[in-house]
Structure formats: structure tokens, C-alpha cells
Amino acid sequence: MVSLVLNLILSILLMGENMVIKLPAPAKDSSFSVERAINERMSIRSYKDTPLTLKEVSQLLWASQGIVASGRRASPSAGATYPLEIFIAAGKVEGLKPGLYRYRNKEHSLELIKEGDLRKSLSNAALGQEMIFKAPATIVVAAVFGRTRARYGARAERYVHMEAGHVGENIMLQATALGLGTVPVGAFNDGEVKRLLGITEDPLYLFPVGWK
Ligand SMILES: Cc1cc2nc3c(=O)[nH]c(=O)nc-3n(C[C@H](O)[C@H](O)[C@H](O)COP(=O)(O)O)c2cc1C
């Protein structure tokens, strides 16, 4: 009886809390030089039907906005206002059920915020671009403009877009160094992507990722 009551209390406490998946620790060094990554990066729009692992997802997300040696983030931010939020729409990732996850950089973990394979609807919202449907996962860079606007007013619009570019380049160079293919996708219906992901942040940039 006591354990029944305790279980009930526990499940009430956990109600409304999303599942959190701890990511494996990212590598902070490798023998693949930054020069080689710059030299070999190119847009890749077709991928093998091979799933990604949590290790690769961990590395890509760390490169986007993970915590680095300075204690700050992998990408710079105007006035350290950090307007960007990173999500991953996973379809075929070992160890992840299909769904949309938020990257929690401080704990280097993923929070499941929407269950289900969103790749087809995401592809449709991106003017039918097939690679988003075919890629095992797509990284979504989204923004809360208000965080930067509170400090910089109208200038924030420019800064936030610059920051999305920094994050995107890190993702692309890291993907190249891992032997993965990606392409920056800016052509999509903003409102439609926001609605289907069910997020309050404004989506700015998509990066489908898969094996070349
Ligand atoms: C802001 C931006 C938006 C882009 N949007 C798309 C897109 O929606 N779909 C696509 O296939 N490629 C997109 N691209 C990729 C470009 O087509 C590609 O970078 C360009 O052709 C140069 O090729 P490279 O990336 O191999 O150097 C985009 C690139 C940038 C920088």
C-alpha cells in the first residue's frame, strides 16, 4: 500500500517532464585538421540508408553550441545573449526513438519534446526537398530574437542571423571531419516548420545529416 502511494506520488511529480537522454562525451581533438575540413566541405544532398549513432549526434551538437574550454559555447554570441536553440529531428538514430529533441548544452543531453518521425512533414515544409526526408536526422537552428533584442534593439536581427551562420559552419565542418554529409537549407516555410515542430522559437536554418 505504502509503495503504491509512493509510486503514485512519483508519477505525479514526473508528469509533464520530458524524457532526457544523456549524450556520450564529445571528442575535443582529432587528427582531422580544420584545414582539411574546410577544403573538403561541400553540400551533400544524398545519403546512404545507414543510421547515425548517438556518438555522431553528440559530436555534431557539441560543435553547434556545446560547452567549450572557455566555459562558454562552441559558437560566439553578440554580448553572450545566446539567442539560438538547437533541435534535432531524428528519424533513424540508434538509441533515439524518432522525434524532435532539444539540445541541452549545459548537460550535453537531449530532451524529447515531440514523438514521431517528422522527416516527411519537414521535407514538405521545405518545398519538398527530398534530402530532408532521406537523411537520418535534421538539425534545426532556431532563435529567440527577444534575448538579443533586449540588449541591442533593432541591431539584434543582424546579430542573430550572423550567429546562425557561425553555428551552421561549425556543424558543416564537424560533419565533414566525421565523414558525414550535410547541406545548409534556408528554403522553407517558416510558419509551417514552426507549427509542425511545435516550437515557440523561430526556425532559421536546417541541416539534414547522413552518411555520404
Ligand atoms: C543561406 C543558405 C541557404 C541555402 N539553402 C539551400 C536550400 O534550401 N537547399 C539546398 O539544396 N541548398 C541550399 N544551400 C546550399 C547552397 O546551394 C550551396 O552552398 C552552394 O550551391 C555552394 O555549394 P557548396 O556548399 O558545395 O560549396 C544554401 C546555402 C546557404 C548559404
Side-chain angles (χ1 to χ4, degrees), residues 113-124:
I113 57 171
K114 188 170 182 175
E115 263 190 69
D117 192 344
L118 297 169
R119 292 178 299 168
K120 185 67 189 158
S121 42
L122 198 51
S123 161
N124 290 343

Side-chain angles (χ1 to χ4, degrees), residues 40-45 126-127 129 131-132 165 169 172 182-188 204-208:
E40 293 183 13
R41 183 214 63 83
M42 59 179 285
S43 291
I44 305 284
R45 298 181 178 82
L127 321 179
Q129 298 190 72
M131 66 278 196
I132 296 179
E169 190 70 15
M172 292 186 285
T182 187
V183 54
V185 173
F188 55 85
L204 297 179
Y205 227 172
L206 309 177
F207 294 88

Side-chain angles (χ1 to χ4, degrees), residues 22-80:
K22 184 84 189 137
L23 289 167
K28 307 282 173 68
D29 198 5
S30 85
S31 56
F32 200 110
S33 69
V34 70
E35 293 83 358
R36 185 171 166 203
I38 292 168
N39 194 41
E40 293 183 13
R41 183 214 63 83
M42 59 179 285
S43 291
I44 305 284
R45 298 181 178 82
S46 67
Y47 317 105
K48 288 186 188 145
D49 194 32
T50 310
L52 293 177
T53 66
L54 269 189
K55 201 167 181 305
E56 286 119 26
V57 164
S58 159
Q59 198 64 40
L60 291 163
L61 294 177
W62 173 77
S64 73
Q65 284 253 76
I67 305 299
V68 294
S70 65
R72 294 190 286 271
R73 301 191 189 183
S75 302
S77 172

